[in-house]
Amino acid sequence: QVQLVESGGGLVQPGGSLRLSCAASGSIFSIYAMGWYRQAPGKQRDLVAVIGSDGNANYADSVKGRFTISRDNAKNTVYMQMDSLEAEDTAMYYCYAYIRAVVGGSARNYWGEGTLVTVSS
């Protein structure tokens, strides 16, 4: 079974930085895309950033210029550098991946358990 494990969340002051990591493990045939979603209390889960296997990345308008997504294909890991953090960035951040497993045929979405980012003075 494929698993996604996030790390790097925590408490940071406004204007500070954090770097999130997410490693995929298990019986993986190929990873087509990886990214991050976030969900604040009482809000829906929204896309933050996603990166394809070709390195093309897309960002939510609210984080453009502040967040940078990258991936290490050899390690099946995606990273997100978050700079100039604002209180509005406070949320649970969930790793996302679109993966074809060794068994099962078709690719499907996988989700991590989430890592909490709190931006507060």
Side-chain angles (χ1 to χ4, degrees):
Q1 183 177 355
V2 174
Q3 296 182 359
L4 304 179
V5 179
E6 307 106 324
S7 63
L11 175 64
V12 64
Q13 294 185 341
S17 297
L18 287 173
R19 188 183 191 227
L20 304 184
S21 299
C22 174
S25 62
S27 300
I28 297 171
F29 183 81
S30 62
I31 301 177
Y32 299 104
M34 299 187 77
W36 296 90
Y37 286 69
R38 68 186 181 187
Q39 187 170 24
K43 304 292 185 180
Q44 68 178 24
R45 185 178 297 188
D46 292 326
L47 174 70
V48 179
V50 64
I51 185 167
S53 59
D54 58 1
N56 290 331
N58 292 282
Y59 299 89
D61 288 341
S62 59
V63 306
K64 286 181 178 177
R66 300 188 297 119
F67 292 9
T68 303
I69 190 169
S70 61
R71 64 187 286 177
D72 185 335
N73 291 335
K75 297 181 179 180
N76 291 335
T77 299
V78 63
Y79 307 94
M80 189 163 67
Q81 178 69 37
M82 304 186 294
D83 298 321
S84 301
L85 284 163
E86 305 166 355
E88 292 75 17
D89 297 315
T90 296
M92 185 72 72
Y93 284 71
Y94 296 92
C95 182
Y96 156 83
Y98 188 59
I99 295 174
R100 179 183 174 183
V102 172
V103 296
S106 299
R108 74 169 184 88
N109 296 327
Y110 291 86
W111 295 93
E113 292 295 323
T115 185
L116 181 63
V117 172
T118 302
V119 185
S120 180
S121 58

